[in-house]
């Protein structure tokens, strides 16, 4: 458990490694009750590290050392020293070879880090520091080595033996065993190592690269899933093409493999040539996976593939630089999805996610910069800040430089640093060198945590025909950072006249207007921009496309927001105006609830949504997005003190009022779309996603009316839909409805039909875990006893416990604290089984400062109880101790 790792590690202490490993030769002998790992490391003194021959200190945890040799000489106990995390020995010359043999126990590894078993197959997860649980090694990303790997296992149970690179030899052994050797010609850090052994089937395809090389593509799954990989394969080929076209990046090995495993801590892993995926991010077909799941598979396949350049060919010098590969790769995958489907809808989804979850993280006890300065447990830093905010930082560079210079910068970065382990500074330097722009101040986005607040005010001078916008930026204190310096904030904007036309934008000092939408760079704490030639007071459309991850404040009134909803040429800002209108209306209802007044819905929201619903020329996905009221989690995030009951009551009241007032247009749109769905085969493309999303959100409103004809339609959709998107949406609204009989029947039918499909059963758990009706905690308790549930599978934990704590706020935040007690109990159990999952599950308790004093006390008491519960993993210890600090 907690050893030396609960010490804090600082970026400022970084030192180059004393030794390098040129070659790594591994042999694995896999057995049912243990495995043996032999490692031969061809090493040399690092010329950059100075003179002398310091001790060689190898990382290693939970390894039983069987044999150790230095240059073929067997070492006895006096020749080395061994702790529970390191093996040290004294080299005697600049170049030497270390041989070690260790015994490990993948069969009892429930942490799912290092080598472990998922069901009957062996697989690995090494990022960030899992390789040290496989063999003694310099387990740090700036040590890059050429790997050769031989795997041997019983042939019948493990016919498929895989590792990174190309297969170079294989054969049989006595006693029904066989072996295979793989060679990876590219130097890589140990975190990209992978091994798989199992009874797997594969779908094979091929891709011809831009220089006409044939690459074999294989997706391996357990036999029962072989019918669910076509979508992932199509996504992979589209990703490979897109990376050639948009970034000029070609794949480099002759084979690219993906393996789907059921027990996996994260979404997937970009191991060189052998990506290992959570099965939830590979398997998708119409009957068993929703539209959202199809889009997630496509995005994750693309993300991991894109890492081959942004992460593998050019990797991180140390883990403080994690966003170098993750922020960049998220930006790349989100642009891929935007190009493949609807750009505006993708942007809306990403921003809604960022503002709800990353902004909350940035305001909480674990807030950290995109490039952190310190950590205790690196697994805790695979965060929304590193990934999502990191991607926003890349997007801002893209916005400031423009697409051509950005591409020039990425070309220079890949060319300059191919085969190296580098820093975020190296990335920015390439962008500066390629563009000629100075990004010194911009780099504060990497070093300062917290979400900046941007207040904007306006002034119109009719006589001078000038319109000025004044910006004032500030950033709240975050742990360890009390003072912040101004950021570079790119603000994309336009000005609308009274008819909704866009005005030509000429700033003071310019001789000609520069278009009708442009990007201002706000660099000072307070700064004013003056537009000239403005003949009447305009309405500004600010932060178009969410051009910077900030909290924007402009005193729009509701009529202005309705105007922007209709007229803004920027699709994202039309949605944003609708969200702001909804927030204002909901906050008014929250106030009424808190004062004990009768709730009264501002009819302007009804009018605005009616206009959208009745306009059949609009993109249906946009209409669906605009109909979705801001979620309870977002309303919590923007509250000073979150009033759980008032937020829930206000939102539910608004939904019911809208459902009643808009019944006719909702019913018309629902019926039309459902009819089309009945007669259209399932297609995973934007127009079809759009139709089903409007259909399903309409259904969720319509069911609030409790009218019999809607119930009939809902049950029909549940029973007869040919795809999971429609079926699951119908199930979810039934579960949230008062129709007990229909609901019970549907849940039973669903579970019976899909009992052998764990990913579909995850959906079944989630739908029930998220149900806001009273008794949520009792339902979750009961579901934990269901035969399909197990704490050992991370997907199950997320589907049931995670969904309850993160999405069912009214039940989780029960006033008596039982929800908190439940979550703490699960964290304590999981701490011993799987520390990474335990630590992630904790997040809702860390947000205690958002709530009133009674809830604060209850949440803190549970954090204290976890802290006192015994030996904690470094993962859980870091999050709990920082939350209480
Ligand atoms: N790089 C992996 C993350 C692995 C995290 C391990 N704790 C997935 C990804 O971002 O592509
Ligand atoms: Zn990634």
């Amino acid at each position: 458990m907690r050893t030396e790792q609960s010490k804090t590690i600082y970026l400022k202490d970084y030192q180059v490694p004393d030794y390098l490993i040129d070659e790594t030769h591994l042999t694995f002998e896999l057995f049912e009750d243990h495995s043996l790992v032999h490692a031969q490391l061809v090493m040399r003194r690092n010329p950059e590290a100075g003179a002398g021959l310091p001790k060689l200190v190898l990382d290693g945890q939970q390894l039983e050392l069987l044999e150790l040799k230095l240059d073929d000489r067997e070492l006895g106990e006096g020749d080395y020293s061994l702790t529970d995390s390191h093996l040290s020995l004294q080299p005697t010359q600049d170049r030497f070879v270390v041989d070690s043999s260790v015994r490990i126990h993948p069969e009892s590894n429930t942490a799912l880090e290092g080598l472990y078993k998922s069901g009957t197959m062996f697989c690995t997860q090494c990022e960030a520091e899992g390789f040290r649980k496989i063999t003694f090694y310099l387990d740090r990303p700036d040590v890059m080595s050429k790997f050769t790997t031989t795997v041997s296992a019983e042939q019948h149970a493990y016919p498929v033996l895989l590792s990174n690179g190309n297969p170079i030899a294989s054969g049989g052994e006595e006693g029904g065993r066989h072996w295979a050797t793989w060679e990876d010609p590219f130097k890589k850090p140990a975190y990209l190592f992978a091994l798989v052994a199992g009874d797997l089937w594969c779908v094979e395809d091929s891709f011809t690269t831009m220089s006409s090389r044939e690459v074999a593509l294989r997706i391996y799954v357990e036999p029962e899933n072989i019918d669910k990989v076509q979508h992932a394969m199509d996504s992979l080929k589209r990703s490979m093409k897109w990376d050639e076209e948009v970034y000029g990046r070609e794949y480099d090995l002759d084979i690219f493999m993906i393996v789907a495993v059921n027990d996996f801590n994260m979404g997937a892993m970009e191991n060189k040539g052998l990506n290992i995926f959570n099965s939830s991010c590979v398997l998708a077909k119409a009957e068993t996976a929703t539209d959202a799941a199809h889009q997630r598979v496509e995005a994750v396949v693309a993300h991991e593939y894109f890492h081959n350049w942004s992460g593998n060919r050019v990797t991180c010098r140390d883990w403080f630089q994690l966003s170098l590969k993750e922020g960049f790769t998220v930006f790349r995958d989100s642009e891929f999805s935007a190009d493949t489907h609807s750009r505006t809808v993708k942007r809306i989804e990403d921003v809604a996610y960022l503002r709800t979850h990353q902004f909350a993280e940035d305001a909480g006890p674990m807030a950290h910069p995109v490039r952190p300065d310190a950590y205790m447990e690196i697994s805790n830093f695979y965060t929304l800040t590193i990934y999502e905010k990191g991607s926003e930082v890349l997007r801002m560079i893209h916005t400031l430089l423009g697409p051509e210079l950005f591409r020039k910068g990425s070309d220079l970065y890949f060319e300059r640093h191919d085969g190296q382990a580098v820093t975020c500074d190296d990335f920015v330097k390439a962008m500066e060198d390629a563009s000629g722009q100075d990004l010194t101040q911009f780099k504060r986005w990497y070093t300062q945590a917290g979400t900046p607040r941007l207040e904007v005010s306006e002034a119109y001078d009719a006589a001078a025909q000038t319109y000025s916008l004044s910006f004032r930026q500030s950033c709240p204190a975050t742990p360890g950072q009390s003072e912040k310096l101004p950021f570079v904030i790119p603000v994309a904007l336009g000005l609308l006249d009274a008819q909704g036309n866009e005005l030509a934008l000429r700033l003071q000092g310019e001789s000609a207007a520069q278009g009708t939408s442009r990007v201002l760079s706000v660099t000072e704490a307070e700064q004013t921009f003056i537009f000239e030639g403005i003949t009447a007071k305009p309405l500004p459309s600010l932060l178009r496309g969410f051009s910077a991850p900030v909290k924007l404040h402009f005193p729009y009134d509701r009529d202005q927001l309705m105007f922007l909803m209709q007229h803004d040429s920027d699709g994202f800002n039309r949605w944003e105006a609708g969200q702001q209108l909804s927030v204002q209306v909901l906050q008014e209802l929250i106030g009424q609830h808190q004062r004990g007044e009768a709730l009264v819905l501002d009819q302007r929201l009804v009018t605005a949504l009616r206009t959208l619903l009745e306009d059949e020329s609009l993109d249906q996905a946009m209409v669906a997005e605009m109909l979705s009221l801001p979620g309870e989690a977002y309303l919590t995030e923007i509250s000073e003190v979150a009033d759980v009951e008032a937020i829930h009551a206000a939102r539910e009241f608004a939904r019911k009022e809208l459902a009643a007032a808009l019944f006719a247009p909702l019913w018309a749109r629902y019926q039309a779309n459902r009819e089309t769905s009945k007669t259209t085969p399932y297609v995973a493309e934007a127009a079809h996603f759009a139709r089903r999303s409007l259909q399903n959100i309409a259904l969720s409103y319509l069911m609030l009316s409790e009218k019999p004809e809607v119930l009939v339609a809902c049950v029909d959709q549940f029973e007869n839909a040919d795809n999971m998107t429609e079926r699951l949406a119908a199930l979810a609204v039934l579960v949230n409805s008062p129709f007990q009989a229909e609901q019970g029947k549907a849940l039973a039918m669903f579970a019976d039909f899909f009992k052998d499909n764990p990913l579909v059963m995850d959906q079944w758990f989630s739908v029930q875990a998220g149900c806001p009706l009273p008794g949520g905690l009792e339902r979750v308790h009961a579901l934990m006893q269901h035969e399909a549930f197990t704490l050992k599978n991370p997907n199950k934990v997320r589907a049931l416990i995670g969904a309850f704590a993160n999405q069912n706020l009214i039940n989780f935040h029960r006033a008596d604290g039982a929800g908190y007690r439940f979550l703490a109990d699960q964290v304590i159990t999981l701490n011993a089984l799987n520390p990474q999952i335990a630590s992630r599950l904790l997040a809702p308790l860390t947000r205690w400062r958002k709530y009133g004093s009674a809830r604060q006390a209850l949440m803190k008491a549970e954090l204290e109880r976890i802290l006192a519960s015994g030996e904690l993993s470094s993962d859980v210890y870091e999050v709990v101790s920082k939350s209480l600090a």
Side-chain angles (χ1 to χ4, degrees):
M1 289 266 119
R2 201 142 57 84
T3 58
E4 296 166 40
Q5 295 130 293
S6 36
K7 283 204 315 243
T8 299
I9 300 171
Y10 297 93
L11 169 59
K12 63 177 166 47
D13 295 339
Y14 174 82
Q15 288 189 325
V16 297
D18 289 332
Y19 294 96
L20 302 174
I21 308 175
D22 290 325
E23 294 171 36
T24 301
H25 303 282
L26 301 169
T27 304
F28 289 81
E29 295 176 69
L30 306 177
F31 299 101
E32 292 312 312
D33 57 354
H34 73 285
S35 292
L36 301 174
V37 186
H38 313 274
Q40 180 172 79
L41 312 180
V42 179
M43 305 194 63
R44 71 185 149 98
R45 177 81 169 116
N46 181 2
E48 285 172 35
L53 285 177
K55 274 226 161 82
L56 169 67
V57 183
L58 298 171
D59 303 294
Q61 285 173 11
Q62 299 162 34
L63 308 173
E64 183 191 343
L65 181 62
L66 303 175
E67 191 179 47
L68 184 63
K69 288 186 194 164
L70 178 60
D71 288 327
D72 266 338
R73 184 174 71 87
E74 183 125 4
L75 299 186
E77 283 197 10
D79 301 324
Y80 60 86
S81 76
L82 189 58
T83 68
D84 61 4
S85 57
H86 293 103
L87 169 68
S88 317
L89 54 101
Q90 182 60 59
T92 53
Q93 44 193 356
D94 273 5
R95 287 175 183 273
F96 54 93
V97 176
V98 176
D99 276 279
S100 71
S101 299
V102 300
R103 188 191 332 263
I104 56 177
H105 290 280
E107 72 282 357
S108 56
N109 177 352
T110 58
L112 314 185
E113 191 190 35
L115 178 65
Y116 67 94
K117 288 199 85 172
S118 172
T120 58
M121 79 173 99
F122 285 91
C123 61
T124 53
Q125 172 55 38
C126 294
E127 187 177 1
E129 298 181 336
F131 195 72
R132 62 189 61 187
K133 294 176 159 186
I134 292 177
T135 191
F136 289 105
Y137 205 75
L138 295 176
D139 189 7
R140 45 186 290 172
D142 54 355
V143 171
M144 299 174 79
S145 181
K146 274 195 186 170
F147 281 68
T148 315
T149 306
T150 298
V151 187
S152 102
E154 204 271 321
Q155 174 145 27
H156 185 71
Y158 308 100
V160 174
L161 305 173
L162 308 174
S163 190
N164 314 87
N166 302 309
I168 54 168
S170 61
E173 280 171 25
E174 280 169 35
R177 293 177 66 83
H178 73 144
W179 59 274
T181 300
W182 292 77
E183 185 181 68
D184 183 354
F186 292 94
K187 282 197 312 172
K188 66 169 177 288
Y191 84 84
L192 291 172
F193 170 79
L195 173 159
V196 170
D199 182 6
L200 302 168
W201 288 8
C202 84
V203 165
E204 183 149 10
D205 206 325
S206 74
F207 180 79
T208 308
T209 70
M210 59 201 222
S211 70
S212 304
R213 284 189 310 102
E214 277 295 293
V215 179
L217 309 177
R218 290 197 195 136
I219 302 184
Y220 288 91
V221 294
E222 288 173 295
E224 67 270 25
N225 291 324
I226 199 71
D227 60 335
K228 305 183 192 78
V229 289
Q230 194 54 47
H231 179 66
M233 184 64 88
D234 294 341
S235 303
L236 175 60
K237 289 194 282 183
R238 279 198 295 274
S239 310
M240 296 177 85
K241 187 107 197 98
W242 187 89
D243 213 17
E244 291 186 346
E245 287 172 359
V246 180
Y247 280 85
R249 297 295 112 198
E250 185 177 3
Y251 187 64
D252 47 13
L253 288 163
D254 298 333
I255 178 167
F256 184 83
M257 297 174 283
I258 290 177
V259 181
V261 308
N262 289 329
D263 303 297
F264 203 75
N265 283 345
M266 307 268 294
M269 179 64 212
E270 70 266 23
N271 316 300
K272 183 75 188 188
L274 177 57
N275 288 359
I276 298 183
F277 272 58
N278 187 321
S279 53
S280 70
C281 297
V282 186
L283 306 178
K285 66 169 186 173
E287 294 79 5
T288 55
T290 61
D291 290 347
H294 278 80
Q295 288 172 84
R296 178 151 169 79
V297 166
E298 181 182 68
V300 178
V301 166
H303 180 100
E304 306 310 332
Y305 173 72
F306 296 155
H307 267 315
N308 191 53
W309 276 95
S310 49
N312 301 2
R313 288 289 287 258
V314 183
T315 194
C316 301
R317 188 192 72 173
D318 54 72
W319 292 119
F320 298 101
Q321 319 297 330
L322 183 56
S323 197
L324 171 75
K325 73 178 179 81
E326 295 306 346
F328 189 16
T329 306
V330 172
F331 175 63
R332 279 151 57 67
D333 86 57
S334 86
E335 283 296 291
F336 165 73
S337 296
D339 284 346
T340 309
H341 303 290
S342 157
R343 176 162 288 273
T344 305
V345 171
K346 173 67 178 156
R347 191 67 188 135
I348 289 169
E349 289 166 357
D350 285 353
V351 171
Y353 185 67
L354 181 89
R355 285 203 296 215
T356 303
H357 303 292
Q358 195 278 327
F359 281 17
E361 179 173 281
D362 232 351
M366 285 292 288
H368 55 276
V370 167
R371 190 191 61 208
D373 311 303
Y375 61 78
M376 278 186 206
E377 171 52 62
I378 187 57
S379 298
N380 284 329
F381 285 77
Y382 287 76
T383 58
L384 296 151
T385 301
I386 300 294
Y387 278 70
E388 267 60 48
K389 186 174 180 180
S391 165
E392 294 299 321
V393 170
L394 268 278
R395 182 177 296 281
M396 287 189 285
I397 296 179
H398 188 273
T399 301
L400 291 169
L401 267 55
E404 287 82 21
L405 289 176
F406 184 89
R407 169 65 194 271
K408 221 176 129 196
S410 73
D411 283 351
L412 180 60
Y413 168 72
F414 289 126
E415 185 199 334
R416 191 182 267 178
H417 298 296
D418 190 8
Q420 298 176 4
V422 304
T423 65
C424 298
D425 285 336
D426 293 319
F427 180 88
V428 176
K429 182 79 172 60
M431 288 289 159
E432 286 183 318
D433 290 350
S435 67
Q437 288 194 31
D438 180 354
L439 295 170
T440 311
Q441 185 187 349
F442 180 85
K443 286 206 287 186
R444 290 176 188 158
W445 283 108
Y446 285 95
T447 55
Q448 298 187 140
T451 308
R453 181 183 165 90
L454 187 62
E455 277 169 272
V456 190
S457 57
E458 62 179 352
Y460 180 65
D461 183 336
Q465 302 201 336
T466 59
Y467 177 73
S468 10
L469 285 171
S470 295
F471 296 85
R472 177 202 296 261
Q473 60 163 303
S474 59
C475 183
T478 47
Q481 292 187 336
S482 45
E483 300 297 324
K484 314 277 166 127
L485 296 168
F487 290 89
V488 175
I489 302 179
V491 180
L493 55 71
L495 301 177
L496 275 65
D497 71 12
Q499 285 70 47
N501 302 312
E502 307 254 310
L503 301 180
L505 302 177
R506 179 165 62 83
L507 283 170
Q508 207 165 52
E510 292 175 348
S511 53
Q514 298 183 17
T516 55
S517 190
R518 57 190 285 181
V519 180
L520 304 181
S521 236
V522 176
T523 58
E524 315 280 327
E526 291 185 31
Q527 199 170 352
T528 298
F529 294 84
I530 302 173
F531 294 93
E532 294 187 329
I534 308 290
T535 54
K537 187 175 177 218
L539 184 62
S541 163
L542 298 165
L543 209 69
R544 284 182 160 173
F546 202 65
S547 57
V550 301
K551 293 185 179 176
L552 178 86
H553 293 269
F554 181 84
Y556 289 116
D557 67 34
R558 295 184 199 177
D559 296 319
Q560 290 174 323
L561 291 169
M562 287 176 71
F563 185 83
L564 288 173
M565 274 175 87
Q566 285 218 358
H567 297 290
D568 202 320
S569 63
D570 184 73
F572 175 85
N573 268 18
R574 281 200 301 280
W575 170 79
E576 174 62 5
Q579 289 291 292
Q580 286 191 42
L581 175 64
S582 305
V583 165
Q584 286 193 17
V585 170
L586 288 166
Q587 285 178 332
E588 183 171 72
L589 293 170
I590 290 168
Q592 291 166 355
H593 184 274
Q594 287 169 331
R595 292 187 298 273
E597 298 167 10
L599 304 194
V600 184
L601 183 74
D602 185 335
Q603 291 303 304
R604 282 176 288 191
L605 186 59
V606 178
T607 309
L609 296 185
R610 182 191 302 281
T611 310
L612 292 168
L613 270 171
E614 287 175 350
D615 184 348
E616 295 198 11
S617 71
L618 296 174
D619 173 4
Q620 305 204 70
M622 283 294 288
V623 178
E625 291 288 354
M626 309 266 265
L627 283 172
S628 312
L629 296 180
E632 291 180 19
Y634 181 62
L635 294 167
T636 300
E637 209 291 308
I638 59 176
S639 307
E640 201 58 50
V641 177
D643 183 335
V644 179
E645 286 83 7
I647 287 174
H648 184 69
R651 193 170 181 280
E652 288 305 297
F653 174 80
R655 279 173 19 91
K656 281 217 171 77
E657 289 285 295
L658 290 169
L662 300 173
F663 186 86
L666 284 166
W667 188 228
R669 296 304 294 263
Y670 172 77
Q671 286 183 305
N673 286 15
R674 172 74 182 122
E675 277 314 306
T676 311
S677 295
K678 277 184 194 169
T679 52
T680 312
Y682 181 89
V683 185
E685 282 173 10
H688 299 261
F689 297 151
R691 182 187 72 244
R692 288 186 286 267
S693 65
L694 181 55
Q695 174 189 330
N696 286 334
I697 192 163
L699 179 63
S700 74
Y701 275 109
L702 291 163
M703 277 289 275
L704 297 173
S705 73
E706 299 180 19
K707 293 194 186 190
E709 66 268 35
V710 180
L711 178 61
V712 169
C714 183
V715 171
D716 174 72
Q717 176 171 326
F718 172 75
E719 290 180 354
N720 300 316
D722 65 355
N723 63 82
M724 186 52 76
T725 309
E726 290 183 84
R727 192 185 303 278
L728 191 72
L731 180 68
V733 293
L734 276 173
V735 164
N736 297 343
S737 81
F739 302 110
Q740 299 276 335
E742 287 79 1
Q743 172 187 123
K745 192 172 155 217
L747 281 170
M749 262 175 71
F750 191 97
D752 188 51
F753 196 74
F754 293 111
K755 59 179 176 299
D756 297 324
N757 186 325
L759 294 175
V760 180
M761 288 306 286
D762 291 345
Q763 305 292 314
W764 185 82
F765 283 117
S766 280
V767 154
Q768 297 176 79
C771 170
L773 298 174
L777 181 58
E778 289 72 15
R779 286 193 295 275
V780 171
H781 265 300
L783 286 166
M784 283 183 68
Q785 305 307 315
H786 192 277
E787 59 184 0
F789 184 80
T790 164
L791 275 178
K792 290 198 172 150
N793 175 258
N795 288 354
K796 289 285 174 293
V797 173
R798 283 184 279 259
L800 185 54
I801 307 170
F804 174 70
N806 290 293
Q807 286 154 40
N808 195 345
L809 301 185
I810 190 75
N811 275 299
F812 173 64
H813 291 279
R814 258 167 71 149
D816 66 358
Y820 309 147
R821 203 150 54 241
F822 165 75
L823 190 65
D825 285 340
Q826 307 314 316
V827 168
I828 291 167
T829 308
L830 277 162
N831 173 65
L833 284 175
N834 186 331
Q836 288 183 21
I837 296 298
S839 153
R840 276 177 185 268
L841 204 59
L842 251 171
L845 285 176
T846 68
R847 314 257 191 263
W848 57 268
R849 285 179 182 80
K850 266 285 167 208
Y851 299 91
S853 57
R855 284 195 169 93
Q856 285 199 2
L858 291 166
M859 293 171 93
K860 275 197 291 190
E862 293 306 323
L863 288 167
E864 304 275 10
R865 187 162 69 87
I866 295 171
L867 198 58
S869 69
E871 214 183 336
L872 289 185
S873 59
S874 49
D875 309 63
V876 171
Y877 175 77
E878 177 172 32
V879 176
V880 175
S881 58
K882 287 185 175 171
S883 303
L884 288 168

